[in-house]
Amino acid sequence: MDKPNKIVIIGLDGATWDIIHPMIHKGQLPTFKYLIENGSYGNLNSTIPPLSAPAWTSAFTGVNPGKHNIFDFFTIRNDNYELRNVTSNDRKTPAIWNILDTYGMTSGIFNMPMTYPPEAVNGFMVAGLGTPDTNSNFIYPASLKEELKNYLHGLQFSIDVGTIMGGREDAFLDELYKVTDIQEKAVHYLYNKYQPDLFMAVFDELDRIQHFFWRHMETSHPLHDPKKSQKYKDAIEDYYQHLDIAMKRFLDTLPEDTTVMIVSDHGFGGLHKDFYINKYFYDMDILSLKPKPPLSINTELLRAIKTTLKKLTYKMGVGRWVDRMIPDWLRLKSLTPTVDTGLGSVDWSQTKAYFCSLSGQNVWINLKGRQPEGIIEPGKEYEALRDQIIEKLYTIKDPKTSKNIIQKVYRREEIYTEDLVSNAPDLIIDMAEGYVIQVGLAPEMLMPAMQYKLYRSGCHRQHGIFIAIGKDIKKNHQVQNAEIIDIVPTVLYLLNKQIPTYMDGKVLTDILNKELKGVEYQSIQVKRTSAIQKISEDEEAKIAERLKGLGYMG
């Protein structure tokens, strides 16, 4: 086999063929058109459910969440019923960059979710979603942070969702493009200066715009407002065109023998309603509430006041300035728990099961020996309760449409394998298209999908996109059965390296225009580089606040 080419992977968070293909046919995405005509392409099956934290981690490890241990942006705590943030410290499986380290190859990672704290890689790493803020040590090596800051005249790799929180759609879109252009500039600089053997970069603002602007594009959406949508109906397609142009600018700088992959962690589609499963559990006597206390000024009220004031400052256009001016000691950290699950009124001594994470779409059993006040015995009682909940959930229909709102309920061992399954939620729910499970209790079981008192009209779908182009890749070829766990084995194969036997993914040999060599598996001992720093309580609070702002906490 010839000397392997360098590989570039561009991640487009939430990219979907449902938008790309029609736009190609209309002549609006010439770069995408060129890529699929000159490469291999198709659906990329995501994790179940299709959520960014486990999906991106599977994309860079080649294994299912039961092995890498990332099921959500959050996980349960042992001492109470709050959640804690999940970080790169929680990952139990080596990433592709760890494997390449053992071969003396270089990796460059930019804006990849679930990589904070960054690892000491043979190359560089700029951590993505899950980073507290740009004041944190989110770049390795540390010297690169100042280098990037000077080159970019500042560091801003993520949109400030306070603009959409304040209902300022135009400001949100302006900042979206600004951040994307900064990301593009950073990608050009990092790759062209350091030329790593493997370069992975994620553009993640596509996910944000689709969450909030889908209803303006989709005229059949129940939340479509013909008057307001007239202004924003092209917002999502305009942004796809912006990415199409940005990709061309970057791809034009690469050597001709570079192998390029374009991937997304999941697809996207319309979101109509939130399903308040804890309301359903309450009605079914699965979840119990404490008696209401006398009216008093408590932390929940203060937190609501804080959120209202924050929304007001962003609506006035001074939110970011106010955030910068308030000293840390005045931020009322006691009002910002690690994660607010909306479960403060639950009577755990009478509660059998509960839902606590929008970004997880799963159910936890209140299990003895695991939860602080668990009441369900492991074994027969646990299995009987799971059976009961599954049976009941399949009966739920939307009264307006008479259609089932749940597509599939999985026991954790049905979709996750290996020892770390015990860390997974007990039931994983795959909702029917148009529905997501929402945290908290609401007057009704089904409500219009909302966030920040704004309509949230787009949500994730199971199939993302996959494109590969290069001298060894078939042209205009549609690949079948590609999964997100296949990316790492395929990259290793193209780099002429053996595939670790623990990997779940397969090599996508179908995309190759010739067999380069036989696929070789070997029991390779790869050390996962330990994170370079621990995470402080202040950083934990900032991560939770940022994830909440991005919609991962309801």
Side-chain angles (χ1 to χ4, degrees):
M1 182 176 177
D2 297 334
K3 181 181 177 181
N5 303 322
K6 292 181 183 293
I7 294 181
V8 169
I9 300 176
I10 299 175
L12 302 177
D13 199 303
T16 173
W17 290 120
D18 290 342
I19 291 179
I20 294 170
H21 278 314
M23 291 187 69
I24 288 175
H25 293 317
K26 290 186 288 185
Q28 296 173 318
L29 298 177
T31 307
F32 276 106
K33 182 175 186 290
Y34 173 83
L35 290 169
I36 66 174
E37 287 181 348
N38 291 275
S40 293
Y41 66 96
N43 286 336
L44 188 65
N45 194 31
S46 185
T47 52
I48 299 174
L51 302 168
S52 294
W56 281 122
T57 307
S58 287
F60 61 70
T61 61
V63 301
N64 80 89
K67 288 183 181 176
H68 64 56
N69 197 46
I70 308 295
F71 304 96
D72 187 0
F73 285 109
F74 313 102
T75 191
I76 59 172
R77 297 168 63 101
N78 295 325
D79 55 343
N80 57 41
Y81 284 90
E82 290 180 357
L83 301 180
R84 68 167 179 84
N85 305 306
V86 170
T87 71
S88 65
N89 292 331
D90 292 285
R91 198 183 79 241
K92 304 303 182 185
T93 308
I96 178 65
W97 48 84
N98 304 129
I99 298 171
L100 296 186
D101 280 357
T102 66
Y103 291 113
M105 302 183 76
T106 56
S107 302
I109 312 300
F110 175 76
N111 203 39
M112 179 64 72
M114 308 310 295
T115 54
Y116 183 85
E119 296 175 68
V121 297
N122 183 20
F124 63 84
M125 179 177 289
V126 181
L129 183 59
T131 297
D133 55 28
T134 55
N135 294 321
S136 61
N137 297 322
F138 72 108
I139 298 178
Y140 178 87
S143 58
L144 181 58
K145 183 177 181 181
E146 196 63 28
E147 182 183 332
L148 264 182
K149 186 176 181 180
N150 291 334
Y151 179 75
L152 299 171
H153 307 294
L155 294 173
Q156 185 186 356
F157 299 134
S158 177
I159 192 169
D160 188 336
V161 293
T163 51
I164 197 72
M165 180 188 284
R168 299 166 61 232
E169 286 95 338
D170 290 339
F172 174 83
L173 291 173
D174 288 343
E175 188 164 10
L176 187 98
Y177 281 93
K178 174 187 172 184
V179 169
T180 303
D181 291 343
I182 293 171
Q183 290 176 343
E184 182 194 353
K185 190 175 181 182
V187 163
H188 279 263
Y189 177 80
L190 290 168
Y191 184 78
N192 291 322
K193 179 171 181 179
Y194 295 100
Q195 296 281 314
D197 295 308
L198 171 68
F199 182 62
M200 302 179 76
V202 174
F203 291 86
D204 53 1
E205 303 305 343
L206 182 59
D207 183 88
R208 321 283 182 256
I209 190 172
Q210 291 180 138
H211 273 302
F212 288 104
F213 286 77
W214 196 276
R215 69 188 179 102
H216 299 307
M217 175 186 66
E218 189 177 274
T219 56
S220 62
H221 196 288
L223 300 176
H224 182 79
D225 180 348
K227 185 176 180 181
K228 187 167 188 176
S229 295
Q230 184 61 33
K231 181 176 183 180
Y232 298 115
K233 63 184 174 65
D234 296 324
I236 291 176
E237 290 192 354
D238 287 347
Y239 187 68
Y240 269 91
Q241 288 181 290
H242 190 77
L243 289 175
D244 189 84
I245 294 169
M247 282 198 304
K248 183 179 190 306
R249 282 193 292 256
F250 177 57
L251 296 177
D252 283 348
T253 69
L254 302 178
E256 288 187 7
D257 59 356
T258 306
T259 300
V260 176
M261 293 183 184
I262 314 292
V263 302
S264 65
D265 55 333
H266 51 72
F268 236 88
L271 169 62
H272 303 166
K273 293 182 181 180
D274 285 332
F275 170 41
Y276 287 87
I277 194 171
N278 283 338
K279 160 67 174 170
Y280 178 75
F281 283 163
Y282 175 74
D283 291 342
M284 301 300 295
D285 292 325
I286 293 172
L287 181 144
S288 184
L289 298 178
K290 301 172 187 174
K292 287 187 177 181
L295 183 64
S296 62
I297 297 179
N298 56 28
T299 55
E300 292 298 324
L301 177 59
L302 291 173
R303 191 176 292 118
I305 294 170
K306 176 187 172 185
T307 301
T308 301
L309 291 174
K310 185 170 184 176
K311 285 180 62 176
L312 181 62
T313 62
Y314 276 100
K315 194 164 189 175
M316 296 168 62
V318 296
R320 183 177 292 170
W321 180 84
V322 171
D323 280 347
R324 286 199 305 264
M325 293 299 104
I326 298 176
D328 284 346
W329 62 269
L330 200 57
R331 287 184 182 273
L332 299 177
K333 292 179 187 176
S334 62
L335 302 185
T336 308
T338 306
V339 179
D340 177 15
T341 60
L343 295 173
S345 60
V346 171
D347 180 358
W348 297 109
S349 68
Q350 301 295 319
T351 291
K352 300 174 183 176
Y354 62 100
F355 173 81
C356 57
S357 174
L358 171 64
S359 65
Q361 297 293 287
N362 49 55
V363 170
W364 291 92
I365 303 299
N366 194 20
L367 193 66
K368 276 188 179 180
R370 183 180 65 186
Q371 270 76 2
E373 300 178 53
I375 64 171
I376 301 300
E377 291 283 355
K380 288 184 179 180
E381 188 178 14
Y382 170 81
E383 296 299 346
L385 179 59
R386 288 205 300 178
D387 291 344
Q388 177 193 1
I389 291 173
I390 291 171
E391 183 181 353
K392 288 180 180 293
L393 289 177
Y394 278 136
T395 66
I396 303 175
K397 298 181 184 295
D398 186 333
K400 293 289 179 66
T401 65
S402 298
K403 293 182 179 179
N404 289 88
I405 68 170
I406 291 172
Q407 184 167 297
K408 178 73 174 174
V409 184
Y410 297 91
R411 297 169 181 83
R412 59 187 182 180
E413 63 273 15
E414 291 178 312
I415 53 174
Y416 304 138
T417 62
E418 298 301 315
D419 297 340
L420 298 174
V421 170
S422 60
N423 294 339
D426 301 292
L427 296 172
I428 296 88
I429 301 176
D430 188 12
M431 298 296 293
E433 291 188 355
Y435 302 88
V436 297
I437 312 177
Q438 183 59 274
V439 293
L441 293 161
E444 302 292 334
M445 184 180 68
L446 289 173
M447 303 277 286
M450 302 286 288
Q451 188 181 342
Y452 318 128
K453 296 185 179 179
L454 298 171
Y455 290 126
R456 182 169 43 88
S457 56
C459 64
H460 302 176
R461 293 288 190 270
Q462 188 64 37
H463 292 112
I465 71 167
F466 174 83
I467 304 172
I469 185 171
K471 71 179 182 65
D472 299 317
I473 308 298
K474 291 178 183 176
K475 293 185 177 182
N476 198 21
H477 171 72
Q478 188 164 1
V479 63
Q480 303 293 329
N481 304 316
E483 299 184 81
I484 201 160
I485 53 176
D486 298 336
I487 294 171
V488 170
T490 303
V491 167
L492 289 173
Y493 182 81
L494 290 168
L495 291 173
N496 197 22
K497 303 302 176 189
Q498 294 170 324
I499 318 299
T501 53
Y502 65 79
M503 284 197 177
D504 298 316
K506 61 186 178 296
V507 176
L508 295 172
T509 53
D510 180 48
I511 69 174
L512 303 174
N513 54 29
K514 62 179 179 179
E515 185 176 340
L516 303 180
K517 62 167 188 170
V519 178
E520 298 178 6
Y521 291 87
Q522 185 173 341
S523 181
I524 304 171
Q525 295 297 318
V526 181
K527 287 188 177 181
R528 220 221 85 172
T529 310
S530 59
I532 61 174
Q533 80 223 43
K534 296 298 182 182
I535 300 175
S536 67
E537 288 186 11
D538 183 58
E539 288 176 320
E540 288 274 7
K542 287 178 179 177
I543 293 171
E545 188 73 14
R546 184 181 173 199
L547 290 171
K548 183 175 183 179
L550 291 171
Y552 294 107
M553 292 170 61

